Amino acid sequence: QFPFGRRLPCDIYWHGVSFHDSNIFSGQVNKFPGMMETVRKITLSRAMRTMQDLFPLEYNFYPRSWILPEELPLFVAEVRMMKDSNPSWKPTFIVKPDGGCQGDGIYLIKDPSDIRLTGSIQSRPAVVQEYICKPLLVDKLKFDIRLYVLLKSLEPLEIYIAKDGLSRFCTEPYQEPTLKNLHQVFMHLTNYSLNIHSGNFIHSNSVNTGSKRTFSSILCRLSSRGADVKKLWSDIISLVIKTIIALTPELKVYYQSDIPAGKPGPTCFQILGFDILLMKNLKPILLEVNANPSMRIEHEQELSPGVFENVPSPVDEEVKVAVIRDTLRLVDPQKKTRKDTHVTVSPELQWLGVHEHPPPVGGVPMAGAGGMSSEVLPTLIPSAILCCRCQSLEQAPEASQEQPGAAPSTEAALPSLCLKQVFPKYAKQFSYLRLVDRVAALFIRFLGVKGTTKLGPTGFRTFIRNCRLSNSNFSMAAVDILYIDITRRWNTMGIEHKESGMCLQAFVEAFFCLAQKKYKSLPLHEQVASLIELCECRLAALRGKRLLWGCS
């Protein structure tokens, strides 16, 4: 771990919180710019709603959501309408503060009138969702799944899913919500940071028992009962890919702002924590996505009042060590260029599953940059967060395989990858969902000033003009009105804005509006796809003309 002030460049920077933990200009960073903002509860809900508008059946794994305070009247009206049409419907809703984490500020309600309308809802926006009342139970307890997903690349999109995850259990037997038990957080909320304070929380040295277990142990149990575990995994993979597809448009806007195309800069990868709930029928439901999942492999144990010590957690160690080890193997910058050298590994990396070899040819560091969380890598690799400029962790010297006395190959010394590639492996099955990605590409094209994330009125007019979308029924004056109306509304939604103009989500709304005007008889996703193809075709023709003029 290198201190502040280091001047030599590193191959890999491991930031504790965000991309902006320190200023870097090369190598690889374990955070994407804008990821923390993109997976916040409100932004995630908006992205998922956009996809639900386009593909309602494909995105039915995300609960119906409303954003507070702006959609409170809509929430009240829709709940009243649903109750009037079905008097037997007795819903429960869960309110989650937008910037909350570790269960902070979450509560359950039975009616919109129960929302706590103190001043905090204005200063601290929230999402209210339908509560899943019939979850799958194990040992009469509700639980959720934390799966680790590696977003290795944004363009081209490359996604890996860990083959095992964590199952975090509530600590009181589950009962469907009633007015009497709504406040019992140990029954309804699966957050580890809440349940750890319950007197019923069980720390176990086994991955199959206790209040935190491996997901594979749950799968084994389900399989023994005759459940279709393969279908469950297939559904989870589909959920992860579809969620990432919903997030990538916003991420690309942030990415081009911090790392403009055509300029030298770092590349990014990131480990995300997907929190998933299984319904009684084994349908997976996405709860949220965590940009900074905890990588602790120990827990605090109180020895005497006020005296604590850190105790290893075998469950966390089994899952998390493999995720970080194999993330480093996949992003290893030298694996394509080094084929015939050995690697020397520190004792800490040996503990991650890498065994010692003869001395390396040279060394290049992997830096833990400023702001590193104490929860992330120091627990795993206490002294040297090390990546040698030598052989890849995946490469093995041929000589060592041939000579009986030589050291064993690195590949043989390592377990098989715990991270499974799911995209582009299954790209053909999901490519039709990437419509908003293509809308975002149009948005980025007309941003004009590099480093911005907002489209000004001139850029919007240029987009309309170049794509030839105005006509006698839709004049440029109407274009200006559309821009002003949508931009003004988005800018009054209580979101922090560092710059004025039209954000991507506002542009997507305007684009959908244009598509609906032009292709009235088609379903929304066909309207949007048709307008995208029209814009791309006309822009390609315009580019061809300009090239021809340039040659002339």
Side-chain angles (χ1 to χ4, degrees):
Q1 182 175 356
F2 289 90
F4 287 107
R6 174 182 169 79
R7 294 183 179 180
L8 293 175
C10 297
D11 280 347
I12 296 174
Y13 295 84
W14 197 282
H15 288 186
V17 180
S18 77
F19 175 82
H20 297 287
D21 280 3
S22 67
N23 295 320
I24 48 177
F25 307 99
S26 64
Q28 297 183 84
V29 196
N30 73 320
K31 296 283 187 270
F32 279 92
M35 182 65 82
M36 288 184 68
E37 294 80 2
T38 302
V39 301
R40 286 174 72 102
K41 294 176 180 66
I42 286 179
T43 315
L44 175 64
S45 293
R46 286 197 173 115
M48 299 303 281
R49 184 184 297 173
T50 297
M51 298 306 291
Q52 286 172 336
D53 290 342
L54 289 168
F55 306 102
L57 295 179
E58 287 88 338
Y59 280 83
N60 63 4
F61 58 83
Y62 191 71
R64 186 164 16 186
S65 306
W66 296 266
I67 295 161
L68 303 178
E70 69 204 55
E71 292 179 352
L72 180 58
L74 177 65
F75 173 51
V76 172
E78 289 189 359
V79 171
R80 184 182 298 120
M81 184 177 65
M82 287 186 282
K83 282 185 174 180
D84 289 344
S85 62
N86 182 12
S88 64
W89 184 56
K90 299 187 184 301
T92 301
F93 303 96
I94 183 166
V95 183
K96 304 175 181 179
D98 179 45
C101 60
Q102 300 181 339
D104 176 42
I106 296 176
Y107 61 96
L108 273 59
I109 60 173
K110 296 294 281 185
D111 189 84
S113 61
D114 299 330
I115 289 176
R116 299 168 189 170
L117 285 175
T118 56
S120 63
I121 199 69
Q122 297 294 334
S123 58
R124 194 181 186 191
V127 169
V128 57
Q129 295 179 322
E130 282 190 89
Y131 180 77
I132 307 301
C133 292
K134 296 186 183 295
L136 178 70
L137 304 181
V138 170
D139 299 332
K140 298 182 180 181
L141 299 171
K142 179 181 174 181
F143 69 97
D144 75 354
I145 304 157
R146 163 61 61 84
L147 278 185
Y148 296 94
V149 174
L150 171 65
L151 181 56
K152 185 173 180 285
S153 168
L154 199 56
E155 193 63 60
L157 186 59
E158 196 170 348
I159 308 168
Y160 292 78
I161 299 180
K163 294 178 183 177
D164 203 357
L166 300 173
S167 299
R168 291 96 54 95
F169 282 76
C170 287
T171 47
E172 289 183 14
Y174 180 77
Q175 298 173 10
E176 289 196 24
T178 64
L179 290 173
K180 290 184 178 180
N181 68 28
L182 280 183
H183 66 283
Q184 296 184 28
V185 293
F186 298 147
M187 176 188 293
H188 294 295
L189 303 185
T190 53
N191 304 71
Y192 167 79
S193 52
L194 291 176
N195 282 281
I196 188 71
H197 299 295
S198 165
N200 297 327
F201 192 93
I202 300 172
H203 290 289
S204 175
N205 289 327
S206 167
V207 298
N208 305 311
T209 60
S211 297
K212 188 191 284 190
R213 314 176 195 179
T214 59
F215 179 44
S216 57
S217 72
I218 303 297
L219 291 176
C220 287
R221 193 159 171 174
L222 293 174
S223 181
S224 68
R225 297 177 184 174
D228 190 345
V229 172
K230 285 187 178 179
K231 183 183 183 303
L232 173 57
W233 255 120
S234 176
D235 291 343
I236 289 174
I237 289 170
S238 176
L239 178 152
V240 168
I241 294 173
K242 289 173 181 176
T243 301
I244 297 289
I245 285 174
L247 297 176
T248 51
E250 197 79 43
L251 283 174
K252 286 181 178 179
V253 173
Y254 280 108
Y255 197 91
Q256 64 79 36
S257 173
D258 280 284
I259 311 172
K263 287 189 175 182
T267 57
C268 304
F269 64 95
Q270 188 155 353
I271 298 170
L272 302 172
F274 273 65
D275 292 344
I276 296 169
L277 184 74
L278 295 183
M279 295 178 67
K280 195 175 283 187
N281 62 0
L282 295 188
K283 178 182 177 177
I285 299 293
L286 177 67
L287 299 179
E288 59 184 58
V289 180
N290 195 317
N292 291 310
S294 170
M295 286 295 169
R296 288 193 68 131
I297 56 170
E298 54 193 19
H299 64 266
E300 283 188 344
Q301 181 172 304
E302 191 168 16
L303 301 178
S304 58
V307 179
F308 296 86
E309 74 169 353
N310 289 325
V311 178
S313 168
V315 180
D316 288 294
E317 186 176 319
E318 178 159 325
V319 174
K320 294 175 182 178
V321 167
V323 169
I324 290 195
R325 178 196 65 219
D326 292 346
T327 294
L328 295 179
R329 290 166 73 185
L330 285 169
V331 302
D332 178 3
Q334 303 303 324
K335 65 182 175 185
K336 292 182 180 178
T337 58
R338 296 291 186 270
K339 295 183 179 179
D340 53 2
T341 55
H342 296 283
V343 76
T344 293
V345 182
S346 70
E348 293 79 13
L349 285 180
Q350 289 178 44
W351 187 57
L352 284 177
V354 183
H355 302 288
E356 191 155 13
H357 287 265
V361 173
V364 72
M366 182 180 89
M372 178 183 291
S373 164
S374 60
E375 289 189 359
V376 187
L377 269 182
T379 311
L380 292 174
I381 313 174
S383 60
I385 301 177
L386 180 68
C387 181
C388 293
R389 187 183 294 281
C390 54
Q391 178 195 325
S392 155
L393 296 178
E394 297 264 18
Q395 299 287 352
E398 294 180 9
S400 67
Q401 296 176 3
E402 297 170 0
Q403 298 174 11
S409 71
T410 309
E411 179 65 21
L414 284 169
S416 60
L417 282 170
C418 79
L419 294 168
K420 174 185 178 182
Q421 190 195 82
V422 296
F423 203 96
K425 182 176 181 180
Y426 302 123
K428 289 183 180 179
Q429 297 167 236
F430 297 94
S431 58
Y432 71 98
L433 298 173
R434 303 189 71 183
L435 291 181
V436 184
D437 247 10
R438 293 164 70 186
V439 176
L442 294 171
F443 175 80
I444 291 169
R445 177 172 181 156
F446 289 94
L447 280 176
V449 180
K450 288 187 175 181
T452 185
T453 60
K454 299 288 184 67
L455 185 67
T458 303
F460 189 70
R461 287 173 66 93
T462 305
F463 157 69
I464 296 291
R465 192 178 295 114
N466 286 7
C467 295
R468 306 205 308 274
L469 298 181
S470 60
N471 52 42
S472 57
N473 296 321
F474 186 59
S475 65
M476 291 306 291
V479 169
D480 291 338
I481 292 170
L482 178 68
Y483 176 88
I484 291 167
D485 285 350
I486 292 179
T487 303
R488 182 179 294 161
R489 182 156 40 78
W490 278 88
N491 286 343
T492 57
M493 285 184 179
I495 312 165
E496 291 182 9
H497 293 292
K498 296 178 182 177
E499 52 187 302
S500 61
M502 177 180 268
C503 64
L504 173 64
Q505 292 166 328
F507 181 79
V508 168
E509 182 184 328
F511 195 91
F512 284 16
C513 180
L514 294 169
Q516 288 168 315
K517 283 184 178 181
K518 195 166 187 66
Y519 305 100
K520 294 179 181 177
S521 61
L522 298 175
L524 180 61
H525 70 276
E526 291 185 24
Q527 292 173 333
V528 172
S530 299
L531 186 58
I532 290 171
E533 288 169 11
L534 178 69
C535 292
E536 290 173 344
C537 181
R538 288 180 173 174
L539 290 172
L542 182 62
R543 192 184 306 117
K545 284 182 181 179
R546 286 175 176 170
L547 286 172
L548 188 61
W549 294 337
C551 292
S552 300

